[in-house]
Amino acid sequence: MAQPDKKLFENLSGKGKAIGVLTSGGDAQGMNAAVRAVVRMGIYVQAKVYFIYEGYQGMVDGGDNIEEVSWESVSSILQVGGTVIGSARCKSFRNREGRLQAACNLVQRGITNLCVIGGDGSLTGANLFREEWSGLLDELVQTGKIEAEAAKEYAHLNIVGMVGSIDNDFCGTDMTIGTDSALHRIMEVVDAIMTTALSHQRTFVLEVMGRHCGYLALVSALACGADWMFIPESPPEEGWEDLMCNKLSENRARKKRLNIIIVSEGAIDCHNKPITSDLVKDLVVKRLGFDTRVTILGHVQRGGTPSAFDRILASRMGVDCVLALLEATPETPACVVSLCGNQAVRLPLMECVQMTQEVQKAMDERRFEDAVRLRGRSFENNLNTYKLLSHKKNISELPKDNAPCSIFSAIGHIVTVFLKVLLHITDSYSFFHLIKENCGNKASPVSKSNFNVAVLNVGAPAAGMNAAVRSAVRVGITEGHKMFAVNDGFEGFAKGQIKEIKWGGVGGWTGQGGSLLGTKRTLPAKYFDQIAEQIRTNKIHALLVIGGFEAFESMMQLVEARGTYEEYCIPMCIVPATISNNVPGTDLSLGADTALNAIMETCDRIKQSASGTKRRVFIIETMGGYCGYLANMGGLAAGADAAYIFEESFDIRELQANVEHLTEKMKTSIQRGLILRNENSNENYTTDFIYQLYSEEGRGVFDCRKNVLGHMQQGGAPSPFDRNFGTKISAKAVQWISKKLKETYRNDEGRTFRTDSGDQGRVFANTDDSVCLLGMRRRNLLFQPVTQLKDETDFKHRIPREQWWLKMRPLMKILAKYKTSYDISDAGKLEHVNMCRRKDETGAI
């Protein structure tokens, strides 16, 4: 029975209403998923749904360009890039005469609800159309094109927008539809280019899209560890040519065989002059003589199949778009469905448009700091993390005070010193002081902290682990710490498989799958004495553990052992990384996005096979232990008919109902079926049992095949999301560790930490908040003591007691044409852009 505080969408009816859906402006992968969701949700609530072909041009032209559609009309478009209903620039809609004709065409079909999928220009046009609606209808009545009764019946036009743009240039949403897929295309190219660049020691300059927004360039640079990056929001400082060439030269001197420079097509310098890929190439060739090539990705970034992220995002937004139209009143302003953190929100359309325009205004006026801030916290965090990781400041890798400089650097330093002497210095003391300053490590801008931080992976391998380790090591070094890498988890820790890892030791790790450090599921309780001894021997002051549920259990054991082992009284942090996404305290774990894409790609191929043979149902088994995240969200991304998971019990009656549903489906033009099953969803209804049941009950109607995806879900290169998420979350974790180290450091005299002190104090941390898990909760990244998460955990089944994604489960059922209940309590709240931003201040990703 529904609780009184729940708001169920069954109470909303679209009967007697008509919804028009159009795509406008540039195309983006995922638009078809949004169109599919709008059509099926609209039909589900008994509304009529119309395609408006070719965007606003089709609305103006009318006729066959506005067509009522059925459930089957959107079959097989989920995995197709671009937009099947077309998109076109429309000059006539910019004039009142064009909008008058468009209004006439809509009224004739009773359409007073519009779902517009496009960029800020398309959405601005929709809002103007809505504001003029009453005046347009009055004019149509006066000219006799519509009856007065029709004008009265269709007196109000409701507008809800979804942002489809690969550039992610719309303020008010963390991600626009198509951005993640474009990043996939970019990273595929970058990974391919790296192999050839390594072979020939080349420098590659990659130009990516983003005429007015540098998001693609920024995140690509972060995800591949680019040597340099140019974006319009943050132009390089004066003298950037020297700085860039010096950095490229230094990287080559450290035997790095390739350089990657990423340029946004709208990149500018601090004087608003364009920085082109050819300009950068010519500069590198002229000054350094490096073999340099330019690759312009162009429209490759718009093409290809949508990623799992974009399909799920577009499906969520499409469903919420229909709900927003059903709930709209004449007083409701036009709104846009956005993503804030991990939550779908509705924001006033024009507030978002105005803030987007403010960004461009700030750039035109060279207020670049304001432009970055206006882009949103997510963009700002990306930029700050890139800056943090892009410049090497490693004390331990610089020459020691008593170590000689290399002959070439010595000559350079001596020349520099003599110039300084001639200009400023007369006494011999200053002369020799400068020699030491330029040849020794005293010149480093980083203060040595005297802290040792160990990094290890625990549990099963997950894509993104290596990106997280790289980020942790480099941020730790910039913080002044000595970083240690532990091989093979706690088992390796106990055996002394621990060594210092330096800046160059993690070069090129972001694109590597699996765990380069090695990882084991072994928990520390088995080796408490040996691990404590290794912490003492290596003087480890803090631990960063990157892993899954085993990492969480390990931290619980170490906390409990603090009473016996003082060595464990140090700050410790967990970065959740597992394809199962079953770690308590976080909505998302590293590796889950990559695994979802692997499942989705396999399902796409299987569906294509089923389409060719007709009347075939595939049963697919996914990993995840007892957590049904992969099966459920994979089913939503792949357009599955059902997904069996442990969290939602099922019996033979439900299995039989699913068979009957598929039997009816085979009578339509969609003659295929896809069923996903989580590996531990039920101990009796195994994959083999379900396969045999479907085969027997479907005999004569359809045949069955089964596939167990297995460990292919753990392999492969990390997705852009996992590379980016791992980089940022790990950087944040190390900064938290640095803060805790300073807070918990004491010497024999009771003094607190000072970077310039040479005393031999110690770190002592035994409070609950010194062992935390850094997780994403709705809109924020939060540090949560592991002891507080204990009550939120089902240890028997290794899953959190509450999981956010279960709210997405009805979406898959609705889009597969099952009758179900859907709690929409979180929807329907119109927020404001500033409010959304304030809620996200503590850590948007």
Side-chain angles (χ1 to χ4, degrees), residues 331-582:
E331 291 74 35
T332 306
C335 72
V336 61
V337 180
S338 301
L339 183 73
C340 196
N342 193 33
Q343 189 177 10
V345 296
R346 299 177 195 170
L347 302 172
L349 189 154
M350 289 313 296
E351 282 188 19
C352 297
V353 169
Q354 286 161 8
M355 184 168 283
T356 303
Q357 293 169 348
E358 281 293 317
V359 176
Q360 188 59 49
K361 183 180 177 184
M363 287 193 287
D364 291 341
E365 296 173 356
R366 296 164 60 185
R367 293 183 289 108
F368 297 111
E369 288 185 5
D370 289 343
V372 170
R373 180 181 54 79
L374 288 166
R375 279 280 180 229
R377 179 63 64 170
S378 177
F379 188 96
E380 201 170 358
N381 282 348
N382 278 320
L383 185 58
N384 290 337
T385 305
Y386 176 79
K387 288 178 178 178
L388 191 65
L389 293 169
S390 63
H391 300 294
K392 180 176 177 291
K393 304 172 184 174
N394 184 5
I395 287 179
S396 62
E397 292 186 54
L398 293 171
K400 304 298 180 187
D401 284 346
N402 57 356
C405 302
S406 70
I407 184 65
F408 296 109
S409 62
I411 291 171
H413 285 311
I414 289 169
V415 170
T416 303
V417 170
F418 271 111
L419 287 172
K420 290 182 179 179
V421 169
L422 291 172
L423 292 172
H424 302 289
I425 300 171
T426 56
D427 62 296
S428 60
Y429 169 80
S430 298
F431 173 81
F432 286 108
H433 177 75
L434 267 178
I435 292 266
K436 185 175 182 181
E437 179 187 30
N438 282 273
C439 291
N441 63 6
K442 297 291 185 183
S444 172
V446 178
S447 298
K448 208 170 184 178
S449 72
N450 294 318
F451 291 134
N452 297 339
V453 180
V455 183
L456 65 157
N457 294 337
V458 176
M465 277 183 164
N466 297 321
V469 172
R470 171 187 174 271
S471 177
V473 168
R474 292 193 170 179
V475 172
I477 288 170
T478 62
E479 295 273 308
H481 310 322
K482 187 179 284 188
M483 301 300 294
F484 287 83
V486 180
N487 296 115
D488 298 332
F490 283 107
E491 188 175 320
F493 208 155
K495 294 176 181 177
Q497 295 175 354
I498 177 171
K499 62 181 179 180
E500 185 181 356
I501 188 166
K502 298 185 178 181
W503 188 279
V506 289
W509 279 34
T510 53
Q512 300 285 332
S515 168
L516 294 175
L517 287 183
T519 181
K520 300 268 187 175
R521 294 181 182 270
T522 310
L523 300 181
K526 187 178 178 181
Y527 302 105
F528 273 158
D529 291 336
Q530 296 94 318
I531 294 171
E533 176 62 28
Q534 291 298 328
I535 290 176
R536 267 197 315 274
T537 303
N538 293 283
K539 297 179 182 178
I540 300 300
H541 301 106
L543 285 182
L544 176 64
V545 181
I546 302 166
F549 199 88
E550 293 85 356
F552 174 68
E553 289 183 301
S554 297
M555 290 297 100
M556 294 293 298
Q557 290 183 358
L558 292 177
V559 168
E560 291 171 4
R562 278 177 161 180
T564 309
Y565 299 90
E566 193 174 293
E567 291 82 358
Y568 299 142
C569 294
I570 57 176
M572 294 182 263
C573 186
I574 306 170
V575 169
T578 168
I579 70 167
S580 302
N581 199 36
N582 65 331

Side-chain angles (χ1 to χ4, degrees), residues 160-205:
V160 176
M162 286 184 276
V163 189
S165 167
I166 68 166
D167 294 337
N168 201 32
D169 56 354
F170 193 80
C171 293
T173 185
D174 287 347
M175 288 287 274
T176 57
I177 296 169
T179 302
D180 187 69
S181 301
L183 287 170
H184 273 259
R185 301 296 91 79
I186 294 169
M187 294 316 302
E188 287 163 8
V189 172
V190 170
D191 288 347
I193 278 176
M194 279 185 166
T195 59
T196 182
L198 281 168
S199 302
H200 300 280
Q201 295 194 59
R202 282 182 175 146
T203 296
F204 271 88
V205 181

Side-chain angles (χ1 to χ4, degrees), residues 233-300:
E233 293 89 347
S234 182
E237 60 191 69
E238 289 275 13
W240 63 267
E241 297 92 343
D242 294 331
L243 293 171
M244 184 186 75
C245 289
N246 287 342
K247 184 177 182 184
L248 297 179
S249 184
E250 287 170 8
N251 287 344
R252 284 294 175 91
R254 291 201 302 270
K255 298 183 179 179
K256 184 177 179 182
R257 292 181 59 86
L258 78 156
N259 302 113
I260 299 290
I261 302 169
I262 296 184
V263 182
S264 175
E265 65 176 328
I268 53 174
D269 64 16
C270 56
H271 301 295
N272 277 358
K273 293 180 180 178
I275 296 177
T276 65
S277 51
D278 284 332
L279 184 150
V280 175
K281 175 201 168 184
D282 293 342
L283 178 68
V284 174
V285 171
K286 181 179 177 181
R287 293 205 181 183
L288 303 176
F290 290 173
D291 184 4
T292 307
R293 306 296 169 91
V294 171
T295 299
I296 300 175
L297 273 63
H299 283 73
V300 166

